[in-house]
Amino acid sequence: MLAKDLIDRLERLGWLDQEIIEALRDQLSQSGARVTPEAIAKLLVDNGQLTRFQATKLIGELRKGEYDDVSGPTEVAPDDLGLADSHDDEVPVEYPGPSEMIESHEQPWVDEAGGAQASDADDLDRGGGTVTRRRVAADRPRKVNATKKKRDETKSVWDSFKIYGIAGLVVLLAIVGATLYLILAKGNADDYIAEADGLYNQQSYAAAEKAYSSFLTSFGPSNPHSSVARTRLTMTRLYQIAQYTDPVKAVDAAEEMLPAIENEQGLDEERNNLAALLVDVADNIARAAGSATETTEKQRLLDELDRQIKLTENPSFVTSAARQALSSRMLGIGETRSRVQRDINRNRRLDESVDSMRGALKDLQTDQAYATRMQLLREYPELRNDPRLVTLVKSASEIQQQLVKPAVNVPKRVADPLPADAVKSIVLTSRNGSQVPGLREEVVYIRIHGSIVAFAARDGRLLWRRFVGYGQSRSPLPVDSTGQAGVLLSDSDLLELQRADGDTGAIRWRLSLGEDFSQPTNDGNHVYLSTQSGKLVSADSETG
């Protein structure tokens, strides 16, 4: 067959690499007898392994016997294929029909059995297994001036073939490599994120932070796991900062970091953890504020707590469901905040009272200092033993001692008896029950409206009744424990202190004070009382 002869001739001439020769033979063996030498020649010309001139020459030599029967001369130039350059060394070449078959896309495909397919311009005669070609327009010879292109001696005829082959191989490897990378990268991403999640769930936040950061660096922001990685990267940093001694740093970090993940899809998996973390930070700040001793520090921490509570009020960070689940803890934080605020108000009120008392004592106004202290204790009773108040009260007492001096006008004993009552009064009593022998000598004194009434404790008999006025309700003060020795009476109408006998109610002595006085006290021998003007009075309980 001619196609095989063409390959053998090319091998003998050494125009092609042996690998190309073997490749052509393999393709020829697979295609069978249907391949013509013209097709092979055109393929080699198109691939740059042969020039158009070389291919035309080989085909002409192979089909020399067939072209002898073609009527009319045929003149063909190789540059009809567009391979020749216009150089000064152009040489006219005449070749028969094969060049036309090579340059035309309507080439016949001839097998050795004599089968042929003609183009529009040709007729093929078959007979006895021989193929002859007859020109349709034999009277119109075709003359073409062919030029031969100089061969560049620095280039190999195999360069184009090798370049195309290598380029195709590179493209193929790139496609395969990209596919393998996507498959392996996806598997690596799943393994990588699973390892980072494991560290996160074990609360190894420092290691988890490095793992999530490395994941984002390796797989970029568009990976399906990147949103979760960004969210948990922020969470690991917040968890670590929340463990600092100063809880305020967590507030600063949360305000700075949380807006960046507020709209992250990965935050959906972390909302409950974030809500619990924010409440933990608020609780830490509240505890720190409660433990602070300085009022300014308490107020500073309380202001930071308000900032943190504002973050918990953001529904993107703490959902309604999370708020309900954490309601007891948030209620406790609110109570702690109220208690700290009360402490701040108390400390400020204490500072103001201490300053006021110091100013009063500086002016020797001890009564004003005491009044300020009493008003403070009404609002905050727990300050009664405050060291600063105790010191000021001690100072006030010392000042009071310095201010005490004997009075010029002292109360005087009244020798005149009391005038008899103009109207005689009658007291009606009713007794029930038996006597109590154990209370045989005791007398009981009771104030009823403006009068003092004395009863025998043994049997309940009314001993006497004396009117002392409706002013200050001073209670009767027995002279001894049994009351039999007598009783001290405070007459608010006469502004007197009187001693009456226990059995009869007779007045033994009267001490005129001339102003209102306090409830007297008695130590058995002396009676003590203070007047409204600030005098302290001591009288002998027997003589007055």
Side-chain angles (χ1 to χ4, degrees):
M1 65 188 287
L2 295 179
K4 182 177 180 300
D5 294 340
L6 176 62
I7 297 174
D8 293 340
R9 184 179 294 273
L10 289 170
E11 184 178 13
R12 288 195 301 273
L13 293 173
W15 288 359
L16 299 179
D17 194 307
Q18 188 61 37
E19 293 179 358
I20 300 176
I21 296 296
E22 296 299 328
L24 292 174
R25 283 193 174 121
D26 291 340
Q27 294 182 13
L28 181 61
S29 63
Q30 295 175 6
S31 303
R34 295 173 298 169
V35 179
T36 64
E38 287 81 4
I40 296 176
K42 185 177 186 305
L43 174 63
L44 294 175
V45 172
D46 292 341
N47 288 341
Q49 278 84 29
L50 291 179
T51 66
R52 186 66 64 95
F53 175 78
Q54 291 172 332
T56 303
K57 182 178 179 182
L58 289 174
I59 295 300
E61 291 175 356
L62 286 175
R63 294 189 180 276
K64 182 177 181 182
E66 297 177 3
Y67 298 146
D68 292 340
D69 297 334
V70 177
S71 62
T74 302
E75 297 178 0
V76 179
D79 62 339
D80 281 357
L81 297 175
L83 299 176
D85 296 332
S86 57
H87 295 285
D88 296 338
D89 56 350
E90 293 182 352
V91 179
V93 178
E94 291 187 2
Y95 256 89
S99 65
E100 294 179 348
M101 299 172 65
I102 293 174
E103 69 177 350
S104 173
H105 293 288
E106 301 171 356
Q107 298 168 354
W109 296 79
V110 183
D111 57 23
E112 293 180 0
Q117 178 181 356
S119 65
D120 295 339
D122 299 333
D123 286 337
L124 298 178
D125 294 336
R126 298 187 180 92
T130 302
V131 178
T132 60
R133 183 172 183 273
R134 182 176 69 253
R135 296 284 297 178
V136 177
D139 56 344
R140 293 187 303 174
R142 182 179 179 186
K143 293 184 179 181
V144 180
N145 291 329
T147 59
K148 181 178 180 180
K149 183 178 179 181
K150 284 187 177 181
R151 178 179 178 183
D152 188 352
E153 298 297 336
T154 63
K155 295 183 179 180
S156 172
V157 296
W158 319 116
D159 288 345
S160 299
F161 182 81
K162 293 180 180 179
I163 291 174
Y164 292 143
I166 293 174
L169 181 61
V170 170
V171 172
L172 178 61
L173 291 177
I175 295 174
V176 174
T179 304
L180 291 176
Y181 174 79
L182 291 176
I183 295 175
L184 295 177
K186 184 178 185 303
N188 290 339
D190 293 340
D191 296 341
Y192 215 122
I193 201 69
E195 180 181 357
D197 290 342
L199 294 172
Y200 180 78
N201 293 331
Q202 295 172 7
Q203 298 183 1
S204 300
Y205 297 123
E209 178 186 0
K210 295 181 180 178
Y212 285 124
S213 180
S214 179
F215 175 87
L216 293 174
T217 302
S218 301
F219 300 99
S222 59
N223 188 276
H225 301 296
S226 295
S227 181
V228 174
R230 284 191 294 270
T231 302
R232 291 189 173 179
L233 177 63
T234 300
M235 291 292 295
T236 56
R237 292 170 177 170
L238 289 177
Y239 274 124
Q240 294 178 78
I241 296 174
Q243 298 173 359
Y244 290 175
T245 304
D246 185 3
V248 177
K249 293 185 179 296
V251 183
D252 297 334
E255 288 185 341
E256 179 182 356
M257 297 180 184
L258 289 182
I261 63 171
E262 185 173 356
N263 298 320
E264 285 286 355
Q265 184 177 359
L267 185 60
D268 294 340
E269 301 180 14
E270 292 298 318
R271 292 191 193 278
N272 291 336
N273 292 334
L274 177 59
L277 175 60
L278 293 177
V279 172
D280 287 342
V281 173
D283 190 32
N284 292 338
I285 298 175
R287 292 175 183 272
S291 301
T293 56
E294 297 294 332
T295 303
T296 54
E297 179 65 10
K298 285 180 177 289
Q299 186 61 58
R300 184 185 75 85
L301 292 173
L302 212 60
D303 294 339
E304 299 298 336
L305 177 61
D306 292 340
R307 288 173 56 202
Q308 182 66 14
I309 291 176
K310 187 176 181 180
L311 286 175
T312 63
E313 293 174 351
N314 189 334
S316 297
F317 304 145
V318 181
T319 62
S320 58
R323 185 179 303 279
Q324 184 175 1
L326 298 169
S327 59
S328 59
R329 295 190 60 195
M330 297 181 73
L331 180 62
I333 292 172
E335 293 176 350
T336 301
R337 187 194 181 285
S338 299
R339 185 170 60 254
V340 172
Q341 185 64 64
R342 184 180 184 277
D343 291 343
I344 293 174
N345 296 337
R346 180 196 63 197
N347 293 344
R348 289 175 176 172
R349 184 76 173 82
L350 174 61
D351 293 340
E352 294 172 357
S353 298
V354 167
D355 292 340
S356 177
M357 290 178 65
R358 286 173 178 169
L361 293 180
K362 185 177 181 180
D363 297 336
L364 304 180
Q365 301 292 329
T366 55
D367 55 344
Q368 182 179 346
Y370 283 124
T372 301
R373 174 179 177 273
M374 289 302 299
Q375 180 61 34
L376 177 64
L377 295 182
R378 290 191 190 99
E379 299 176 13
Y380 303 101
E382 66 272 19
L383 293 176
R384 181 175 297 276
N385 295 323
D386 181 80
R388 289 186 291 175
L389 289 181
V390 172
T391 301
L392 289 173
V393 169
K394 183 178 180 181
S395 299
S397 300
E398 293 173 353
I399 294 174
Q400 283 286 80
Q401 292 176 5
Q402 297 173 5
L403 295 177
V404 172
K405 58 182 68 174
V408 176
N409 298 323
V410 297
K412 295 180 180 180
R413 178 179 175 182
V414 179
D416 299 336
L418 287 172
D421 293 336
V423 179
K424 188 173 181 62
S425 61
I426 298 175
V427 179
L428 301 177
T429 62
S430 174
R431 292 183 296 163
N432 294 313
S434 58
Q435 296 181 356
V436 181
L439 300 178
R440 179 175 178 179
E441 303 296 336
E442 295 188 13
V443 179
V444 178
Y445 304 98
I446 301 174
R447 183 182 178 93
I448 301 177
H449 296 291
S451 300
I452 302 298
V453 182
F455 296 93
R458 177 184 180 185
D459 53 10
R461 291 179 297 111
L462 176 64
L463 299 178
W464 52 267
R465 171 182 177 271
R466 180 170 292 281
F467 181 77
V468 292
Y470 292 101
Q472 298 293 330
S473 299
R474 306 286 190 272
S475 300
L477 179 64
V479 176
D480 59 357
S481 60
T482 62
Q484 185 179 10
V487 62
L488 297 173
L489 306 178
S490 300
D491 194 323
S492 58
D493 282 352
L494 300 177
L495 299 177
E496 292 179 351
L497 178 64
Q498 305 168 354
R499 175 172 176 173
D501 289 337
D503 294 334
T504 64
I507 299 300
R508 182 178 299 184
W509 53 261
R510 298 162 55 197
L511 187 64
S512 177
L513 299 172
E515 58 180 319
D516 195 13
F517 55 92
S518 63
Q519 173 71 34
T521 61
N522 178 29
D523 64 356
N525 296 323
H526 296 86
V527 180
Y528 301 96
L529 57 86
S530 61
T531 65
Q532 189 175 12
S533 62
K535 295 177 182 178
L536 178 63
V537 178
S538 174
D540 186 278
S541 59
E542 287 293 330
T543 65

